[in-house]
Amino acid sequence: MNDTNKSGLIVVGGGITGLSSALTWALNHDVKEDPVLLIEKEPKTGGYVTSYEREGFLFDTCQMIPNISDILDYLGIEIELKKFKGYYMRIFLVNPETDEVKVLELPSGVETFKKQLMELYPNNAPQIEKFLDHSREMYLELFNLKLEPTGKEILKTLKMCPKIVANSSKTFKKYFEKFGITEPDVEEIFNVFAEFSALPAEQVTAIVPVSAMNSLLDGAFRPKDGFIEFSKKIEEKFQALGGELRLKTEVVKILVENGEVKGVQLKDGEKIFSDYVITTVDPMVAMKSMVGLDIIREVDKKYAKKVESVKMSTSSMNLSIGLDDEIDLDALGMDCGYNVITTGGDTFDRLFEAYEKGEIGFTDKRFHMGVVCPSLTTGSKPNITVRITPMALADWLELRENDREKYKERKQKWADFFIDKVEKYLIPDLRKHIKVLDVSTPATYARYSGYISGSVYDMAPYPDNFGRSRLKMRTPIKGLFQPKFVHGVFGCLLAGMQANDMILDRKIMNGNARYKA
Ligand SMILES: Cc1cc2nc3c(=O)[nH]c(=O)nc-3n(C[C@H](O)[C@H](O)[C@H](O)COP(=O)(O)OP(=O)(O)OC[C@H]3O[C@@H](n4cnc5c(N)ncnc54)[C@H](O)[C@@H]3O)c2cc1C
């Protein structure tokens, strides 16, 4: 392929999925012969994975990743990762009627975690052991899964991945119920893993919390110099290999002719041609607006129908809080992975019900939030991050665009609400120490990423929206891929490699869902 105006591959969107897609291509081609072009609408790459400076404080969007050293090795990049010390997680379970707080502390390491739970809840010890062992085996089965299995491989999957197959249509709640655990605190602990995916336990597919729990208990990390290191390092390597990057450039169309992808069209009308396109933007925008459902329908009615039924994940609110040097976060036990403050029980289900109606369900008697302290892990100036899901986009964007004052007022009202809770239950006198407060709303996420629903975790992992029922990465348009069904930094890095594996007939991962070095 030597046409000078034509790329081998165009990648739409320079977030982590796009960066990984583009770099993997560059690692596996002579880019002089088969050029690769990465197109990003913003002035910098990284998408949702970024760091930003406010008045001398460096804040991150993301907070935690599992051990991804094998993938970083494959991509040939080095990032200094710091492991979270102390507890893996602490849950502050608030009784909304009495204001009493019960603290559940969970250590890192699968075996230590299991031992502690069994000691704390002896009545349920055998059930806890069975649940954790079964879940571990199910998690390890992921390494035997093929992404696009052949007939023979499907038969093999039935043998090699029996637990995944048996539970693929189950929600986490249904899966958990099989083990007969009766202690409410234990259920509370495991439900938090479900809520990491921003879905209630009774709606999320079982394998997602099971993988989050196992991978993060094995070790939780964050980059020492901020999450922006990911885009910085991948971008550098990509360009060093001869890959081309165009920033501040918006794709408006994916060009298709006779069921085959031909390239993309930019906002200014320019057309760029290529053999392959990998789109890493909101899959609804990509399929409905950039390609067009009618065009997809002509080639594959089933895929077009699937696009119409895809459910996206929720949006979020985030408070990044810079603190003075007087505060002793260490003494408050903040040197741990994740702190959850919750009214427990059916809190998350009710919050989710409100979210589905476009409402905010948080009240003084019902709340749920995550609090992380990056600075004790990285050694930066004292700061904490408060993460709130589920939040619907609802009218946040409209308000931001049409009534700035009202938008600011609402943002402050909810920031105050969540700061009050953190001050009351986790960090006494927090307000006294605040130097900088930066609040992101669903409008921030929608504007920045281009997700029309402000979704922070892409397609939501309901059983009928995930695994074999997901919107497939290989689209029916020949040469067009959309590796957008796994959320999180790890999943996105992997997805970029998977799309290239499909293009290169299994050269990179041998068709496996997980990369094996
Ligand atoms: C607040 C928050 C906290 C999170 N915390 C964690 C965490 O702790 N751990 C974890 O593993 N994951 C976390 N995640 C999830 C993780 O950040 C995402 O799963 C991941 O970043 C998605 O990457 P992506 O490249 O698929 O998409 P995106 O990051 O959305 O990237 C898409 C890119 O495409 C660009 N784009 C959009 N439209 C166009 C267009 N028309 N033309 C050109 N470019 C376009 C966008 O500007 C963007 O850069 C968090 C996400 C958020 C929002």
Side-chain angles (χ1 to χ4, degrees):
M1 211 256 349
N2 275 315
D3 187 337
T4 44
N5 277 328
K6 198 172 169 196
S7 279
L9 170 70
I10 291 175
V11 179
V12 185
I16 287 300
T17 312
L19 284 161
S20 164
S21 303
L23 176 54
T24 306
W25 176 282
L27 285 168
N28 288 283
H29 291 85
D30 175 351
V31 297
K32 284 199 197 93
E33 283 291 308
D34 289 306
V36 46
L37 170 63
L38 174 60
I39 304 178
E40 166 57 48
K41 71 171 170 52
E42 294 295 319
K44 63 175 187 176
T45 58
Y48 275 156
V49 180
T50 195
S51 315
Y52 48 99
E53 199 260 316
R54 296 282 184 274
E55 297 175 45
F57 288 86
L58 187 73
F59 298 121
D60 281 317
T61 43
C62 297
Q63 299 303 326
M64 203 187 250
I65 45 169
N67 186 349
I68 53 168
S69 53
D70 54 347
I71 291 188
L72 296 183
D73 284 350
Y74 177 82
L75 296 174
I77 57 168
E78 270 178 44
I79 294 177
E80 189 180 345
L81 296 175
K82 288 274 182 183
K83 197 170 180 176
F84 281 98
K85 290 178 265 162
Y87 291 105
Y88 161 67
M89 183 155 57
R90 297 185 302 172
I91 302 174
F92 294 76
L93 196 55
V94 178
N95 180 330
E97 299 312 322
T98 61
D99 254 3
E100 276 172 307
V101 185
K102 187 193 251 187
V103 185
L104 308 171
E105 294 170 326
L106 319 179
S108 304
V110 178
E111 283 308 313
T112 323
F113 176 68
K114 180 162 81 179
K115 192 163 166 260
Q116 172 158 329
L117 278 189
M118 289 169 67
E119 277 168 16
L120 280 173
Y121 304 99
N123 290 340
N124 271 176
Q127 291 89 337
I128 291 169
E129 184 171 35
K130 207 164 161 209
F131 169 72
L132 283 171
D133 289 349
H134 191 278
S135 299
R136 184 77 185 168
E137 284 164 24
M138 183 155 134
Y139 165 69
L140 293 174
E141 283 178 8
L142 281 171
F143 292 83
N144 299 322
L145 270 189
K146 295 280 182 199
L147 213 53
E148 295 182 306
T150 59
K152 245 187 183 168
E153 284 168 349
I154 290 177
L155 291 176
K156 220 169 150 195
T157 304
L158 297 173
K159 255 180 132 176
M160 305 280 282
C161 310
K163 293 185 173 61
I164 292 182
V165 173
N167 295 293
S168 64
S169 61
K170 287 200 180 72
T171 62
F172 184 68
K173 190 179 167 78
K174 276 268 165 292
Y175 169 67
F176 184 79
E177 276 170 1
K178 285 199 313 192
F179 297 89
I181 294 173
T182 51
E183 291 278 3
D185 285 359
V186 179
E187 189 173 350
E188 204 68 65
I189 289 167
F190 289 115
N191 280 352
V192 168
F193 291 105
E195 288 142 18
F196 268 6
S197 63
L199 277 184
E202 63 183 26
Q203 300 201 44
V204 67
T205 189
I207 188 70
V208 169
V210 164
S211 327
M213 174 175 79
N214 276 283
S215 60
L216 288 169
L217 278 173
D218 279 342
F221 302 82
R222 66 183 307 131
K224 181 179 175 300
D225 297 321
F227 271 84
I228 202 163
E229 284 290 285
F230 280 99
S231 51
K232 228 168 82 186
K233 293 279 172 68
I234 300 178
E235 185 185 311
E236 270 168 25
K237 174 103 196 189
F238 171 65
Q239 289 184 306
L241 288 168
E244 190 191 345
L245 169 66
R246 282 173 76 167
L247 296 170
K248 295 198 240 172
T249 306
E250 190 173 332
V251 172
V252 289
K253 260 202 167 326
I254 293 174
L255 305 170
V256 178
E257 252 176 55
N258 303 324
E260 248 182 75
V261 81
K262 292 291 167 194
V264 300
Q265 182 174 336
L266 307 181
K267 201 175 175 183
D268 65 6
E270 184 188 351
K271 289 182 180 169
I272 315 175
F273 300 98
S274 63
D275 295 325
Y276 293 98
V277 171
I278 297 180
T279 164
T280 71
V281 305
D282 181 342
M284 294 305 98
V285 174
M287 295 302 126
K288 290 183 181 170
S289 319
M290 290 183 176
V291 179
L293 268 187
D294 285 345
I295 291 179
I296 297 177
R297 207 171 283 119
E298 270 174 32
V299 190
D300 186 339
K301 284 196 186 69
K302 239 171 114 187
Y303 197 89
K305 210 166 162 208
K306 186 72 204 170
V307 171
E308 287 181 297
S309 69
V310 162
K311 292 172 230 156
M312 298 302 290
S313 63
T314 80
S315 197
S316 174
M317 189 164 183
N318 229 58
L319 316 183
S320 298
I321 308 178
L323 300 162
D324 65 21
D325 292 326
E326 306 300 310
I327 194 159
D328 191 349
L329 292 165
D330 209 1
L332 293 163
M334 293 298 289
D335 197 3
C336 70
Y338 214 76
N339 299 279
V340 179
I341 307 174
T342 179
T343 41
D346 66 354
T347 293
F348 205 83
D349 306 65
R350 300 289 83 80
L351 292 174
F352 200 79
E353 264 170 31
Y355 153 80
E356 284 181 312
K357 291 188 223 149
E359 293 165 4
I360 300 178
F362 295 85
T363 68
D364 279 330
K365 303 270 181 217
R366 185 190 299 134
F367 46 85
H368 184 98
M369 70 205 75
V371 186
V372 184
C373 174
S375 51
L376 286 175
T377 308
T378 60
S380 61
K381 283 168 76 164
N383 69 82
I384 59 165
T385 292
V386 185
R387 291 211 51 202
I388 303 116
T389 48
M391 268 281 170
L393 178 63
D395 61 347
W396 280 100
L397 200 53
E398 215 180 289
L399 211 56
R400 188 189 176 280
E401 271 156 24
N402 300 326
D403 192 342
R404 251 327 153 86
E405 273 318 300
K406 211 165 158 200
Y407 173 72
K408 277 193 193 158
E409 255 172 51
R410 190 197 283 173
K411 198 160 120 161
Q412 192 61 46
K413 176 189 139 188
W414 283 106
D416 285 337
F417 174 90
F418 293 110
I419 289 171
D420 281 350
K421 302 291 171 262
V422 179
E423 187 169 63
K424 188 163 178 187
Y425 301 110
L426 182 61
I427 306 178
D429 297 327
L430 172 64
R431 269 180 203 286
K432 247 177 40 194
H433 298 282
I434 296 179
K435 303 282 274 182
V436 178
L437 170 65
D438 185 77
V439 184
S440 317
T441 70
T444 320
Y445 297 119
R447 243 170 12 98
Y448 192 63
S449 67
Y451 279 88
I452 35 183
S453 47
S455 299
V456 291
Y457 291 142
D458 220 281
M459 292 180 252
Y462 297 92
D464 62 354
N465 209 38
F466 193 75
R468 290 188 64 72
S469 311
R470 70 180 177 261
L471 185 69
K472 300 256 181 301
M473 187 179 289
R474 186 190 293 274
T475 76
I477 308 294
K478 196 164 169 241
L480 176 64
F481 296 82
Q482 66 82 30
K484 292 287 287 181
F485 68 93
V486 257
H487 69 244
V489 177
F490 163 74
C492 292
L493 287 170
L494 194 68
M497 292 165 64
Q498 287 168 338
N500 277 278
D501 196 49
M502 288 180 180
I503 293 173
L504 292 176
D505 290 332
R506 300 188 166 196
K507 179 181 166 202
I508 298 158
M509 298 170 61
N510 192 25
N512 292 319
R514 289 293 182 113
Y515 173 65
K516 290 183 204 167

